Amino acid sequence: MIRRFARTYRRMRLGTRLALGLGVLALVVFAVVGTALSTYMRDYLEQQLNSQMALVQGTQAKDAERHGTVERQPFYRWYTAVYDVTDDRAVLRRPSEVPSDAGKLSAVAEVQRDSGAKEVFRTAHIKGQGDYRLRACEVSPGVVLVTAAPLEDIEKTMDRLLMVQIVAFALALVGLVVLGRALLRRGLKPLSDMAHTARGITSHDFTDSARLPVRVDSDAGGPEVGELRTAFNTMLEHIDDSLAVRTEAEQRLRRFVADASHELRTPLMSVRGYADLFQYAAANEPAERDKHLARLRAKAARMGLLLDDLLLLARLDAADVETPLRLQDTDPVRLVNEAADAFRAGRPEHPLTVRVDGDPAVRLRLDPLRVRQVLDNLLTNAAVHTPPGTEVSLTLSVSPDAVVVRVADSGPGIPAADQERVFDRFYRVDKARTRDRGGSGLGLAVARSLIRAHHSTIDVTSAPGSTVFTLRLPRAGM
């Protein structure tokens, strides 16, 4: 039975359990208050009766001294008796109007004689009459006056008081539980809203959305609920951020797979076409055979470069597991000059100027091959995407906290809508033309990943007539 009640109680809602707990606490308080009130009221009524009996006996003592007995009773069902207590027992003086069971009256007279007290009170049950309050006092030496007053009125008063308390406390208890349940339900409503919000999260489709459409916006419930609401919303913000990162990674992966498949599909189809042509049409023509073989090698080299870039990006993405960098103390000025010499040799149609500002003896801890790869990539982009004769500049500036390298050209520039995406993988501003020239859209993505692997930054600013790629290599911590 107790276990079943406990299981039922645990299945109740929090507001109901709190209301029931409040009701039990109120019941205990009501019981304590009712008991204290009843005890105080009984004591008060008995004190009033004691005072009334003392007042009555003051008059009756004069009658006992004058007549030897008390001839008249003061109130209905009151009894008064005079006892001689000089011998071993109390002897009732006659005539006296006493109940048939008068032993309790004589007993209290003997108690008064033995104690020698001014007055003695006792509560006793008189057979056939009920409960009585007895008072004994000495009238003269050896004479004791005993008065008995019924307690029926006090008992009736206490019964009515008890009934009033039961009714009043019961109504108050019911009202407290009902009202408390309503107030608790209202106070706990923010918690219910949070539960509703949590259920809304479970029904949200996270396939293409990185944001949760639900929040707890109510400001009700007090500071405690407010703290919980703040923590709940903070948790949702954290989930939002995590989902945004996950969704962005998934979308980037889907784009990457689609773009990689597209980029590999073109040279693979070319390789297969040249292989078929070589097999069926050029087997007996040495000149045609050499031409087709050269084209096969070119396409294979293109795929090799593309796969190398993809592998490098994958290794950079997994830098926490395997870093592709080999750091060493390097002279950045020498790297800039070597990149400039290689560019002049391979792109003589683009005039290049080199300038070094600041201390030329600066040393940085970096991977010289990877940084040189970034510089070659940026210079090649400047030549590929600008017409012949366009001026290109390579500037290195040394400051106390960083080395800044700028690759600039005076070409047509990059449209503003494309500047934020030029570092994305497989992104090309002029897709058709750059593919013909061998671009795969991975050069700037590789450059940014390599620079980030050095804990450095790369950005671009462009306008018609000026495009500048800026590398910032911090000197501290390299």
Side-chain angles (χ1 to χ4, degrees), residues 429-450:
V429 177
D430 186 354
K431 299 176 176 58
R433 184 163 60 91
T434 53
R435 181 180 286 114
D436 293 339
R437 297 185 181 183
S440 63
L442 290 177
L444 291 180
V446 171
R448 183 178 63 174
S449 296
L450 287 173

Side-chain angles (χ1 to χ4, degrees), residues 359-439:
D359 184 9
V362 65
R363 306 285 292 185
L364 296 178
R365 186 164 182 78
L366 46 80
D367 187 334
L369 293 179
R370 296 306 183 185
V371 175
R372 170 67 187 277
Q373 180 180 352
V374 173
L375 295 176
D376 290 343
N377 193 319
L378 296 178
L379 290 171
T380 300
N381 277 350
V384 169
H385 299 289
T386 59
T390 302
E391 294 183 357
V392 180
S393 65
L394 181 58
T395 305
L396 185 145
S397 302
V398 181
S399 64
D401 58 343
V403 172
V404 179
V405 180
R406 294 181 177 87
V407 178
D409 65 71
S410 57
I414 302 173
D418 296 317
Q419 291 182 25
E420 295 183 358
R421 299 192 57 191
V422 291
F423 294 104
D424 292 348
R425 299 174 186 184
F426 296 108
Y427 186 80
R428 290 181 295 267
V429 177
D430 186 354
K431 299 176 176 58
R433 184 163 60 91
T434 53
R435 181 180 286 114
D436 293 339
R437 297 185 181 183

